[in-house]
Amino acid sequence: QNPHNADPPDYEAAQRLLEIWTAQNELDRREWDAHQEAEDNQARQEQERVLRHQEEEEHLHLQEEEAARQEEKKKNHTKFLPFNDVKVSSTIPITPSPHALRKLRKGEYVELYYFTNKGLADAQSVSHSADNDALALMQDEQGLHSFIPIAAAKAKDTIIPDHELTWVQIDEATHRLLQAMAECGWGPEHLDAHLNFWMGLSAHEWCHDPKDTAWQALIFYQDAYCKRWHNTLGMPVSFNLKYIDEEALIKIKFKITSKLHTAITNQAKEASSFC
């Protein structure tokens, strides 16, 4: 073509095409970005779902393992008992009856007998195996039957009431019982009350009285007022053990003396009837 006859290019048309392309390209970019964002969101949600599923599976697995461990502990609990990271003691520790310790943990009254030398020896003679966790059917004083731990059933056959203990046995038991009470979580006020109570009785002048009725009165007082203290806890009539009721002691001693006098009189009458 003759360049002399050539027409100049239509720059306006080219500009319009460029504008059209630019606008379309902008739309295409937005559509592309939106599509990519949607795919990214979907991929992220899928990844989060997979992670949650994995965490749930892991948590469920841990729960199943823990349940299996707990079941194993129940079946074979001896394998899981703790031990102290210390050297072996040169003496073998003597522990009270598990039945007595269970009662102490519940805050219940426990007879001193469990903490005497004889009571501790009896506890050692009873096996501490899992069989003692079994239940035995027992009949109470009212004729009612109930299931109680075998250890408790065995203890009922050998226990000596506090009022039948000697003062030597009471001295053996009190400091051991105090230690066991502290280990079982009894509060300092309760411990102090018992400590002052037993110290007050041990320091009482009747402890050194040559007459049996004097220290027998202290033994009966210890038994009766320890039980009364337990039975009145949390009630308006509750009291502090450490305050020794001297009037009550005198009354108890009088009753013991009267019974002894009556018994001696009856024996004398019986003896005279044979003469």
Side-chain angles (χ1 to χ4, degrees):
Q1 183 179 3
N2 187 349
H4 295 282
N5 298 327
D7 295 324
D10 189 353
Y11 289 105
E12 292 183 3
Q15 183 64 32
R16 285 196 299 273
L17 289 174
L18 179 60
E19 291 175 355
I20 293 173
W21 179 89
T22 301
Q24 184 62 44
N25 182 258
E26 181 65 23
L27 292 175
D28 292 342
R29 287 184 179 186
R30 291 180 181 178
E31 183 179 353
W32 175 270
D33 292 342
H35 180 71
Q36 288 297 115
E37 184 177 359
E39 287 187 346
D40 291 343
N41 287 336
Q42 185 177 0
R44 184 171 58 255
Q45 291 175 0
E46 178 63 18
Q47 185 178 13
E48 291 175 353
R49 187 192 66 80
V50 171
L51 288 175
R52 283 197 303 270
H53 180 71
Q54 290 176 347
E55 290 176 355
E56 291 173 358
E57 288 286 331
E58 184 177 357
H59 182 66
L60 180 60
H61 180 66
L62 292 175
Q63 285 183 326
E64 291 175 349
E65 287 185 343
E66 180 62 23
R69 279 195 296 269
Q70 294 300 327
E71 185 65 24
E72 175 69 10
K73 285 184 178 181
K74 290 180 181 179
K75 292 181 179 179
N76 305 298
H77 69 281
T78 305
K79 295 194 303 183
F80 300 92
L81 293 177
F83 60 89
N84 295 323
D85 187 19
V86 296
K87 292 182 179 180
V88 62
S89 174
S90 58
T91 59
I92 300 176
I94 299 177
T95 56
S97 162
H99 173 61
L101 294 178
R102 278 194 293 269
K103 293 180 70 175
L104 281 180
R105 293 189 188 100
K106 294 179 181 179
E108 298 177 359
Y109 169 78
V110 176
E111 291 82 356
L112 286 173
Y113 166 78
Y114 289 108
F115 299 89
T116 62
N117 292 343
K118 187 177 186 307
L120 293 175
D122 288 344
Q124 289 298 106
S125 66
V126 177
S127 172
H128 291 175
S129 66
D131 292 340
N132 284 326
D133 293 332
L135 300 177
L137 182 63
M138 298 292 293
Q139 184 177 4
D140 60 18
E141 297 176 354
Q142 287 75 34
L144 301 176
H145 290 82
S146 61
F147 287 98
I148 64 174
I150 288 178
K154 292 180 179 179
K156 285 181 176 292
D157 297 333
T158 59
I159 189 171
I160 300 174
D162 281 11
H163 65 270
E164 295 182 10
L165 295 175
T166 66
W167 194 257
V168 172
Q169 288 176 314
I170 291 177
D171 277 340
E172 291 172 357
T174 51
H175 69 280
R176 294 168 178 163
L177 177 54
L178 275 173
Q179 181 180 354
M181 290 168 65
E183 292 173 354
C184 289
W186 287 60
E189 293 182 354
H190 296 70
L191 296 175
D192 288 343
H194 282 79
L195 174 61
N196 288 306
F197 172 63
W198 287 319
M199 287 181 62
L201 292 179
S202 297
H204 199 278
E205 58 182 351
W206 287 2
C207 264
H208 309 288
D209 195 309
K211 297 179 181 178
D212 291 347
T213 54
W215 54 261
Q216 283 179 358
L218 293 174
I219 292 175
F220 272 87
Y221 180 91
Q222 192 282 146
D223 180 24
Y225 278 75
C226 223
K227 290 177 180 175
R228 183 182 296 182
W229 181 85
H230 276 272
N231 293 335
T232 58
L233 281 175
M235 301 172 62
V237 293
S238 63
F239 60 97
N240 195 329
L241 268 176
K242 71 177 183 179
Y243 301 115
I244 306 299
D245 189 341
E246 294 292 340
E247 292 184 5
L249 268 175
I250 293 173
K251 290 179 181 179
I252 293 173
K253 183 180 179 182
F254 177 76
K255 288 182 180 180
I256 295 174
T257 304
S258 298
K259 287 183 179 180
L260 181 61
H261 177 72
T262 302
I264 293 174
T265 302
N266 291 336
Q267 288 177 359
K269 289 180 180 179
E270 291 177 1
S272 62
S273 65
F274 290 103
C275 297

